[in-house]
Amino acid sequence: MKQFILFMMLASTLGACAQSNKESSKKNAITENGSITPIQLSPEEWKAKLTSEEYYVLREQGTERAFTGKYWDNKEKGTYLCAACQLPLFQSKTKFKSGSGWPSFYEPINDTNVATEKDTSLGMVRTEVHCARCGGHLGHVFLDGPKPTGLRYCINSVSLSFEKEE
C-alpha cells in the first residue's frame, strides 16, 4: 500500500497542485474514472499551509489529546473534510459517541476517499486511516464500532474541517 501511495504522490507532481478554494478543491478531487487526484507538497509547503498542530498530526502521524478536539462532541449535521485538502471524508449521520474522546464514525463517505494501512508503531498492530488525496494522517480504525459495520474510525479533530449542512 505504501508503494502505491508513493507512486501516486510521485505521479501527481506532473499535474496536480493544491487548490485554495474549497469548492474547486472538492470538485477536482475525483477524476472521471472515480480515482483520486493526489496532492503532493513539500514539507515546507505543508508547514506554510497548516498550523503546527495540524502539521504534527496530519504529516507526522501525531495524535491530539483525548477530549480536547473541536469535533469530538460536535452534534451538528454536515460533512467532515480533510483539514489539509478539503476532501470529503465522513458524514455526521455516521458519527457516534464512542467515549474515546475523539470523533468516531462507523463508515467513511466512500471507500475511495479514505485509505488505510498497517501501523506497527508503539509496540502494537493497528490500522492507520489517512486521506487518500493528500496522505494526511487522520487516526485509526478499530473493530469495536456499532452496527451496521462494526467499525470505529477514531479520528483526530485537528485532521478535520466541518461543513455544516444547510
Side-chain angles (χ1 to χ4, degrees):
M1 185 65 162
K2 283 185 179 180
Q3 292 172 337
F4 174 74
I5 293 169
L6 183 58
F7 171 77
M8 294 302 291
M9 291 177 131
L10 291 173
S12 72
T13 59
L14 298 174
C17 58
Q19 303 289 325
S20 59
N21 179 295
K22 279 186 177 182
E23 288 304 312
S24 175
S25 181
K26 284 188 280 187
K27 288 177 187 171
N28 294 329
I30 302 176
T31 64
E32 286 182 23
N33 69 3
S35 64
I36 297 288
T37 303
I39 292 176
Q40 181 181 15
L41 299 177
S42 70
E44 293 75 26
E45 290 171 311
W46 282 121
K47 284 180 181 176
K49 180 178 175 74
L50 304 170
T51 68
S52 59
E53 187 179 22
E54 288 171 338
Y55 187 85
Y56 169 68
V57 173
L58 287 158
R59 308 314 310 167
E60 296 179 331
Q61 289 71 40
T63 301
E64 66 192 3
R65 289 185 304 124
F67 304 101
T68 63
K70 58 186 170 184
Y71 300 124
W72 78 270
D73 199 29
N74 183 29
K75 293 174 178 60
E76 294 184 283
K77 291 182 180 181
T79 303
Y80 292 87
L81 312 151
C82 174
C85 73
Q86 301 304 305
L87 183 69
L89 303 172
F90 300 95
Q91 294 195 344
S92 59
K93 68 183 178 184
T94 65
K95 189 174 185 286
F96 67 98
K97 189 169 187 161
S98 68
S100 67
W102 291 278
S104 296
F105 306 87
Y106 62 79
E107 71 181 346
I109 280 185
N110 61 47
D111 292 333
T112 303
N113 294 16
V114 175
T116 61
E117 68 181 85
K118 186 177 180 179
D119 175 4
T120 57
S121 65
L122 304 176
M124 61 181 107
V125 178
R126 301 178 292 174
T127 302
E128 178 190 359
V129 179
H130 53 92
C131 174
R133 184 173 184 213
C134 70
H137 171 76
L138 303 172
H140 292 86
V141 62
F142 302 96
L143 302 175
D144 61 357
K147 291 180 181 181
T149 66
L151 299 174
R152 173 173 53 98
Y153 287 83
C154 188
I155 307 298
N156 291 284
S157 286
V158 73
S159 298
L160 302 170
S161 63
F162 183 72
E163 197 172 81
K164 191 174 177 177
E165 190 176 286
E166 294 182 23

